[in-house]
Amino acid sequence: MRHFAENLRKNFRCGDLLHHYYSAAKAYKIDEFNDHFQQIKLNDVRVAKYLEEDVGFHKWSRAHFPGNRLLDFPVQTSKKVFHTSFKMFQTSLKMYEVLTTNIAESVNSMFLLEREFSITALFDAINRRFAQKFHERRMQFLDTPTICVPSVEKKINKNATFGNKLLVHPIRQQDFSITGHGVVAKVDLHNRTCSCREFDLDKIPCPHAMATLRVEFGDQYGTSIYDYTSDFYYIDTYVNAYVIEINPVPSEECWDVPPELVERKIPPPSCEIQLGRRKTKRIPASGEVKKKQNRCSMCKRTGHKRTTCKKRTEGTSNSVVA
């Protein structure tokens, strides 16, 4: 979502439309998404065409995501401890909204200095760094008294507070209608869905579901909240993602290498060494370089100048008409 926003800002100079873009991307309901996307289409048809046809709604819109975003991460199992741990590390970053760039960029940023080392020293540095990170993540929530991670507990408390102000009307068994704040919603506890779609996508009871659980379970309301919250948010799940220990590589004297590997001769790679100084830094992709944004002196928004401001052109046309 952030990468597409940077591409829009750079390629289309539409900084004043980004608030509609972010609102459309974070919308849960299709109707809410259509309202914001219609504003984008009215202001700049090129941006709307790029997001709809060239990119596709399913790649950046929460409302159009085709599956379950908590369960669709491709976690591959392997006998190699490091590979398995790395996949768990990657999934955990995505799950708890820590990851802001792709996993390769995150790892590269951790080893900017170590990338200049020799290959054996580089692998030792990677081993030590991931062992340190896994230990820190294991100990982070080990003694936390809550069931879910703190960020999710904060959202649960917020939804429960809003849910206390809503009215619940039973329709049938485990189906309820919720009214309040000018909104009418329908909650199905059996399928764990709500018409606002926040319960469906986040797998955390929304305010409407909180109100329903309060009426349905009464005194057991406090514990029932976690029964309807996804296990992905539990502290036990978070700690288990880092439960595997990454041990250091022993000294060379302790190695037990088969004779066929010792006698094997590995030829050098068949590639031509190019002349000139070797590149040490990656060339940044489009949209990664952060430049100073121009701010219009008329409307005070970013992405354009005074000479291209729509207010200025509208003022000029009105003066001509007058």
Side-chain angles (χ1 to χ4, degrees):
M1 182 178 63
R2 290 187 59 186
H3 285 180
F4 285 144
E6 292 299 323
N7 291 340
L8 294 176
R9 188 194 303 272
K10 181 177 180 180
N11 299 330
F12 298 98
R13 307 292 182 181
C14 58
D16 54 336
L17 294 179
L18 290 184
H19 67 286
H20 286 299
Y21 163 76
Y22 278 116
S23 299
K26 297 177 182 180
Y28 288 95
K29 301 177 68 174
I30 299 294
D31 296 341
E32 184 181 355
F33 170 86
N34 292 336
D35 292 340
H36 292 288
F37 188 75
Q38 187 65 24
Q39 294 296 324
I40 298 176
K41 185 179 293 186
L42 292 176
N43 285 273
D44 198 327
V45 181
R46 300 174 304 154
V47 176
K49 181 178 180 299
Y50 170 76
L51 293 174
E52 182 176 7
E53 299 179 7
D54 299 343
V55 176
F57 290 154
H58 64 283
K59 291 185 178 180
W60 58 274
S61 169
R62 176 184 284 164
H64 289 83
F65 190 77
N68 187 337
R69 66 195 189 105
L70 284 183
L71 302 177
D72 287 345
F73 298 125
V75 186
Q76 300 176 3
T77 57
S78 173
K79 295 182 180 179
K80 297 181 179 180
V81 174
F82 183 81
H83 177 75
T84 307
S85 304
F86 184 81
K87 282 292 183 181
M88 289 182 177
F89 175 72
Q90 174 184 358
T91 306
S92 180
L93 286 176
K94 290 180 178 179
M95 187 189 309
Y96 297 99
E97 298 181 356
V98 177
L99 193 67
T100 55
T101 60
N102 61 63
I103 187 65
E105 297 298 337
S106 299
V107 174
N108 284 339
S109 64
M110 295 170 59
F111 302 104
L112 291 177
L113 178 62
E114 290 81 353
R115 290 172 65 182
E116 304 297 327
F117 297 169
S118 61
I119 188 67
T120 53
L122 173 61
F123 272 92
D124 289 339
I126 294 175
N127 190 295
R128 288 194 301 269
R129 182 65 64 85
F130 272 94
Q132 177 187 358
K133 289 294 182 182
F134 272 56
H135 176 71
E136 293 176 356
R137 296 293 174 88
R138 278 196 300 267
M139 304 302 295
Q140 184 177 7
F141 299 134
L142 200 58
D143 298 327
T144 305
T146 57
I147 297 178
C148 296
V149 294
S151 59
V152 177
E153 286 285 350
K154 184 177 179 181
K155 187 171 184 178
I156 288 176
N157 295 332
K158 180 181 177 181
N159 291 347
T161 303
F162 281 113
N164 293 333
K165 304 175 183 179
L166 301 176
L167 300 177
V168 181
H169 310 280
I171 301 176
R172 57 181 180 180
Q173 187 177 5
Q174 295 193 329
D175 278 4
F176 299 86
S177 175
I178 294 86
T179 58
H181 302 289
V183 178
V184 178
K186 182 181 178 182
V187 176
D188 183 355
L189 290 181
H190 178 70
N191 296 318
R192 303 190 179 190
T193 60
C194 179
S195 58
C196 72
R197 301 195 70 219
E198 185 176 344
F199 192 16
D200 310 29
L201 298 178
D202 289 347
K203 307 303 177 184
I204 300 174
C206 61
H208 310 115
M210 290 291 186
T212 303
L213 294 175
R214 173 169 45 85
V215 174
E216 179 73 6
F217 293 95
D219 296 338
Q220 305 296 325
Y221 167 58
T223 57
S224 65
I225 294 175
Y226 300 100
D227 295 335
Y228 286 84
T229 302
S230 174
D231 297 347
F232 279 90
Y233 297 117
Y234 288 0
I235 288 181
D236 294 339
T237 306
Y238 184 91
V239 174
N240 288 335
Y242 303 98
V243 71
I244 299 176
E245 298 179 355
I246 302 178
N247 298 313
V249 179
S251 59
E252 192 172 351
E253 293 79 9
C254 302
W255 292 2
D256 185 13
V257 184
E260 58 271 14
L261 296 181
V262 177
E263 299 173 357
R264 179 183 298 177
K265 294 182 180 181
I266 302 177
S270 57
C271 61
E272 297 181 1
I273 300 178
Q274 298 181 355
L275 300 178
R277 182 176 296 179
R278 180 169 169 264
K279 292 183 179 180
T280 58
K281 293 185 178 180
R282 183 183 59 85
I283 301 175
S286 175
E288 290 189 57
V289 180
K290 294 185 178 180
K291 298 181 180 180
K292 184 178 179 181
Q293 295 294 324
N294 296 324
R295 183 179 293 276
C296 178
S297 59
M298 293 189 67
C299 64
K300 306 301 181 183
R301 292 183 177 179
T302 59
H304 63 276
K305 300 179 181 180
R306 179 187 179 92
T307 55
T308 58
C309 183
K310 293 183 179 180
K311 287 189 176 181
R312 182 174 182 273
T313 56
E314 290 175 359
T316 305
S317 61
N318 293 335
S319 61
V320 172
V321 173

